[in-house]
Amino acid sequence: MRAFVVTKYKEPLQEAEVPEPTVGEHDVLVRVEAAGLNPLDEKIRAGEFKQILPYKLPLILGNDVAGTVVGVGTAVRGFKPGDEVYARPHQDRIGTFAERIAIAEGDLALKPASISMEEAGSLPLAALTAWQALVERGKVRPGQKVLIHAGAGGVGSIAIQLAAHLGASVATTASGSNADFVRALGADTVIDYRSQDFEQLLTGYDLVLDSLGGETLEKSLRVLKPGGKAIGIAGPPDPAFAREAGLNPLLRLAVAGLSRKIRKQAKKLGVMYEFLFMRASGDQLRQITTLIDQGAVRPVVGKVFPFDQTPHALQSLSQGGIRGKAVIGNS
């Protein structure tokens, strides 16, 4: 089976022949038709998560998939060969930059009927991140004010639509050239990050979804109202994440140190900071599927690369300029 693998951290992906996936009794074997590209893939390739996600090399990358079921384990009841499906595989079982992948039944959902394979392949990680930030943790309600950074990006473009669907007033940061694009997604207020300072223009927000970290995250705390919450997906990780990830005591201490400054700033301002490392969930994907097929949320695919250009496609993420998601496709 052909796949693109990391053989050594910080080196480009290499195409290789790898063994066929092992299909357990609760697993579904999927022929990969499309795979989304994510900054997470590049961070794993660069070794940024090797302390908290100790992958063994060589490693097949890829965290998004849409495809066709070609086999099922003996205990699988919800899927059959021929079903069109999509998923974000569990973090311990990534590997969608390959011809086939075995995925736990609980992490899988039927593909939305109204969209293409490439569109479905763009969705799982970004849509689950938006859902877990806004619905599960943020509990966004009608009339609340939500700030979503990098609104033209993969997560941002879905999060704007979801927040608007939930009835929130949505602000976002984007380049001036993307202002009309993010307004069409549902943004009420657009801040041009190149010429405007969002901290000077926004106040009294209930929730911020931050995908940038650093100074942007620090400033985001200051646009929240008392009791508001900033959810970061670019770090730094917090003690709650360390506990949930089952890290050893020494690593838990190190993780707590990474986020101590931002948590201290949040406490002083009377607001909260939480780190989100999204998790796989077939159940949540099914709820997202309903929204997509109802037309409440639409995927945004900025570019589709052929499978054999996967290494180049991953490198291209750092160049920016792609609205929504870039996807590897077989068509």
Side-chain angles (χ1 to χ4, degrees), residues 96 103 112 138 154 196 206 220 238 247 268 294:
T96 64
I103 302 171
Q196 297 175 298
D206 297 278
S220 294
D238 60 9
L247 302 184
K268 185 176 181 180
Q294 290 175 345

Side-chain angles (χ1 to χ4, degrees), residues 124-171:
L125 188 143
L128 286 170
T129 299
W131 184 276
Q132 290 166 21
L134 302 178
V135 177
E136 190 174 68
R137 294 206 189 182
K139 297 179 173 56
V140 172
R141 302 183 303 277
Q144 289 190 316
K145 295 167 66 176
V146 175
L147 168 60
I148 295 164
H149 285 295
V155 172
S157 60
I158 300 299
I160 289 172
Q161 296 177 75
L162 181 57
H165 173 75
L166 294 170
S169 174
V170 183

Side-chain angles (χ1 to χ4, degrees), residues 36-109:
L37 291 156
N38 295 284
L40 176 60
D41 298 306
E42 177 58 19
K43 289 180 179 180
I44 293 172
R45 186 197 65 80
E48 291 185 25
F49 289 121
K50 60 185 178 182
Q51 296 300 322
I52 57 177
L53 293 175
Y55 291 116
K56 293 181 180 179
L57 301 181
L59 168 71
I60 305 173
L61 277 186
N63 286 271
D64 275 325
V65 65
T68 304
V69 175
V70 293
V72 297
T74 56
V76 171
R77 299 292 179 265
F79 301 93
K80 64 185 185 303
D83 284 345
E84 295 187 338
V85 295
Y86 72 148
R88 189 283 201 219
H90 188 276
Q91 66 187 46
D92 294 334
R93 302 185 65 182
I94 66 172
T96 64
F97 297 166
E99 292 181 304
R100 288 171 292 283
I101 183 173
I103 302 171
E105 180 180 16
D107 296 340
L108 202 64

Side-chain angles (χ1 to χ4, degrees), residues 250-292:
L250 193 60
L251 277 177
R252 289 190 190 187
L253 193 63
V255 166
L258 290 173
S259 60
R260 183 173 291 115
K261 178 183 176 183
I262 198 72
R263 289 185 288 115
K264 185 176 180 180
Q265 290 174 343
K267 185 176 182 180
K268 185 176 181 180
L269 291 165
V271 300
M272 293 172 281
Y273 166 71
E274 293 181 6
F275 174 71
L276 172 63
F277 191 89
M278 60 75 58
R279 69 184 192 283
S281 173
D283 287 340
Q284 290 180 353
L285 277 179
R286 280 184 277 279
Q287 296 179 78
I288 291 164
T289 292
T290 299
L291 294 181
I292 293 165

Side-chain angles (χ1 to χ4, degrees), residues 1-5 13-21 29-36 59-67 93-102 307-308 310 328-330:
M1 179 182 76
R2 294 169 62 212
F4 285 93
V5 302
L13 298 187
Q14 300 293 323
E15 185 174 3
E17 284 290 327
V18 299
E20 287 288 332
L29 182 62
V30 177
R31 181 176 66 241
V32 178
E33 311 285 358
L59 168 71
I60 305 173
L61 277 186
N63 286 271
D64 275 325
V65 65
R93 302 185 65 182
I94 66 172
T96 64
F97 297 166
E99 292 181 304
R100 288 171 292 283
I101 183 173
F307 179 73
D308 60 7
T310 298
I328 302 298
N330 284 328

Side-chain angles (χ1 to χ4, degrees), residues 197-211:
D197 184 348
F198 73 90
E199 184 188 359
Q200 303 300 318
L201 299 171
L202 305 177
T203 187
Y205 275 69
D206 297 278
L207 183 72
V208 177
L209 175 54
D210 173 56
S211 57

